[in-house]
Amino acid sequence: MQPGQLNAVGEHAGQRSVAAGDQRVIPEATVARLATYLRALVGMGELGVATVSSESLAAAAGVNSAKLRKDLSYLGSYGVRGVGYEVAVLTEQIHKTLGLHQNRAVALIGLGHLGQALAGYAGFASRGFRIAALIDASPALVGTQVHGLIVQHVDSLAEVVERESIAIAVVAVPAVAAQDVCDRLVASGVTSILNFAPTVLTVPPHVDVRKVDLAAELQILSFHDNRKAARPDCAGSDAAPATKVAVVR
Amino acid sequence: MQPGQLNAVGEHAGQRSVAAGDQRVIPEATVARLATYLRALVGMGELGVATVSSESLAAAAGVNSAKLRKDLSYLGSYGVRGVGYEVAVLTEQIHKTLGLHQNRAVALIGLGHLGQALAGYAGFASRGFRIAALIDASPALVGTQVHGLIVQHVDSLAEVVERESIAIAVVAVPAVAAQDVCDRLVASGVTSILNFAPTVLTVPPHVDVRKVDLAAELQILSFHDNRKAARPDCAGSDAAPATKVAVVR
DNA sequence: ACGTGTGAAAATATTCACAGCT
DNA sequence: AGCTGTGAATATTTTCACACGT
């Protein structure tokens, strides 16, 4: 995974020991996988599956079963030994753990090609998010309707964030504008940002940034492809779950 | 990270000890960051900066300097003690390491909203990739021109991949079609896939898959946001670079 | 002096393997 | 008999801290 793109997440061990105030620490790597497990579980639920073993859920999520069980153990004990997990129960637990019960409002800033595509992306709605505001700086776009929402001017950002109680924003503006937009978002009270602009965003420690860098993903693939081409063996040995790669210089 | 989304990368320690056949192993976590360093370096180069210290390059890339130096050390020794790194030299080295010298041809499968946006994404071209083919299954799209390229039918995929020597493909089709498209790509000889469909792709071990799951990214942010809301302290303590998060159940 | 390069230490993450519950 | 939950072992990644070259 893109591993650890977390910017700043405060660590806080256990105060608040009220009624069943049971506390756990969930490793970051586990959190990143919970979303995948949830997706697989929802799919199974729709197919009418009532129970899954760690083995089959792991297969559906593309991980091994030991990792899956370890991950789920951080949430608590929701499986039944000898049987497996109830799809409904586990779905609900992960859903709750990810904080999705509140159908969060999201603001989308930047309505270029990518922004427009994101605005219409059904996956957001179906997986717990509601795009509550579209924002851009271009006079040509402001006031127009995109996928059922009127585009607002970036100057009314603070107002919109406040009105819609937005905590999460998606930034899809050009790189040069990203830090400025980010600063405005932070000033408006947004605490989580998903950044598609190919820039490093600087934020205060209470704000969390994740980035999606499309070209970087291809470059990583390119690196591995390069290795393969250099050594045209491979392909024979099944199951080669290595994490390092030999490089010839 | 999205940490370790690698599917299958064969590990091969050092045979091939020919002339200067110096070999290294580059950790996966490092590879994922090289793309970010490269971006920062290119930006500095364009600004006319000739030399950088690990400290300032790290700042530009959003990591700490120890990590940056360690990462760069896997490529070899391209810095000068007491001085720093030459921007041009380091840019060239990372570029080469990522296998970008050959301006790789990429196929894009799926021209829905997201696919169309990706087809027009300038960042691919500027960072080493050439979109060489657009492919879709919809009769309404096949034959039309999108960002300067004619959309081809998915049935001619193998032919196109061969003709354009495509090793890397971007999959932006609906989830239900993704595995089928993936299988066709693999059969055609594609060895690296960037998957935007919210599904786990099953591939043979010589093929490398990375995924971008947009809703999952938001869910991860949601998780952290949920923690913040639960404990409205934070904000005071600067610099809290923790990787774990307390959970109240 | 300064800043890289890197062993060694610490922190995280993954995998193993099996005790324990149904 | 089957499958979860988890300590212990292993692997990977990050951070520290300082020797070394310029």
Side-chain angles (χ1 to χ4, degrees), chain A residues 1-16 19-29 31-36 38-39 59-62 74-78 96-102 104 106 113-114 116-118 120-121 123-124 127-129 147 167-170 191-194 196-200 205-228 230-235 237-249, chain B residues 1-14 16 19-29 31-36 38-39 59-62 74-78 96-102 104 106 113-114 116-118 120-121 123-124 127-129 147 167-170 191-194 196-200 205-228 230-235 237-249:
Chain A
M1 184 180 26
Q2 296 117 354
Q5 325 174 293
L6 222 42
N7 241 38
V9 176
E11 164 149 3
H12 300 264
Q15 293 93 341
R16 187 177 324 245
D22 181 11
Q23 300 212 353
R24 309 225 173 189
V25 155
I26 302 188
E28 186 54 30
V31 173
R33 283 186 296 262
L34 288 179
T36 307
L38 180 57
R39 202 178 63 191
Y74 294 115
L75 307 193
S77 210
Y78 297 108
K96 196 187 298 174
T97 301
L98 293 178
L100 303 175
H101 33 245
Q102 48 197 304
R104 290 161 175 278
V106 173
H113 289 304
L114 182 60
Q116 301 244 354
L118 294 173
Y121 182 49
F124 289 148
R127 290 169 70 189
F129 302 94
H147 292 284
I168 302 180
V170 175
T191 49
S192 297
I193 296 174
L194 180 57
F196 284 86
T199 321
V200 173
H206 68 283
V207 176
D208 205 352
V209 175
R210 289 186 68 83
K211 66 167 198 285
V212 175
D213 185 333
L214 305 172
E217 296 296 329
L218 287 187
Q219 291 178 338
I220 295 165
L221 286 172
S222 170
F223 171 86
H224 292 301
D225 220 73
N226 212 31
R227 297 304 132 252
K228 292 177 207 160
R231 291 166 294 86
D233 38 292
C234 309
S237 64
D238 239 63
T243 316
K244 296 189 172 176
V245 178
V247 176
V248 184
R249 293 196 296 124
Chain B
M1 125 231 329
Q2 295 116 347
Q5 319 176 296
L6 221 42
N7 243 38
V9 177
E11 165 148 4
H12 300 265
R16 189 179 321 249
D22 182 10
Q23 301 210 355
R24 310 225 172 191
V25 155
I26 302 188
E28 187 54 30
V31 173
R33 283 186 296 262
L34 288 180
T36 307
L38 180 57
R39 201 177 63 191
Y74 294 114
L75 306 193
S77 211
Y78 296 108
K96 194 187 300 175
T97 301
L98 293 178
L100 302 174
H101 32 245
Q102 47 197 305
R104 290 162 174 279
V106 173
H113 289 304
L114 181 60
Q116 301 243 354
L118 294 174
Y121 182 49
F124 289 150
R127 289 168 71 191
F129 302 95
H147 291 286
I168 302 180
V170 176
T191 48
S192 296
I193 295 175
L194 181 57
F196 283 87
T199 322
V200 173
H206 69 283
V207 176
D208 205 352
V209 175
R210 290 186 67 85
K211 67 166 197 287
V212 174
D213 185 332
L214 305 172
E217 296 296 329
L218 287 187
Q219 291 178 338
I220 296 166
L221 286 173
S222 170
F223 171 87
H224 293 301
D225 219 73
N226 213 31
R227 298 302 132 254
K228 292 178 206 161
R231 291 165 295 86
D233 38 293
C234 312
S237 65
D238 238 64
T243 315
K244 296 190 173 178
V245 178
V247 176
V248 183
R249 291 197 298 127

Side-chain angles (χ1 to χ4, degrees), chain B residues 119-186:
Chain B
Y121 182 49
F124 289 150
S126 70
R127 289 168 71 191
F129 302 95
R130 182 173 60 86
I131 295 191
L134 303 180
I135 291 168
D136 201 291
S138 154
L141 282 167
V142 172
T144 66
Q145 188 166 316
V146 174
H147 291 286
L149 277 179
I150 304 282
V151 178
Q152 322 262 324
H153 192 273
V154 69
D155 285 342
S156 53
L157 196 154
E159 186 192 324
V160 171
V161 165
E162 157 102 32
R163 170 157 32 89
E164 302 280 352
S165 301
I166 289 170
I168 302 180
V170 176
V171 173
V173 303
V176 289
Q179 184 64 56
D180 175 55
V181 162
C182 172
D183 292 344
R184 292 185 191 226
L185 286 168
V186 170

Side-chain angles (χ1 to χ4, degrees), chain B residues 84-99:
Chain B
Y85 303 89
E86 253 192 77
V87 172
V89 171
L90 195 50
T91 301
E92 169 62 15
Q93 279 308 320
I94 297 181
H95 203 262
K96 194 187 300 175
T97 301
L98 293 178

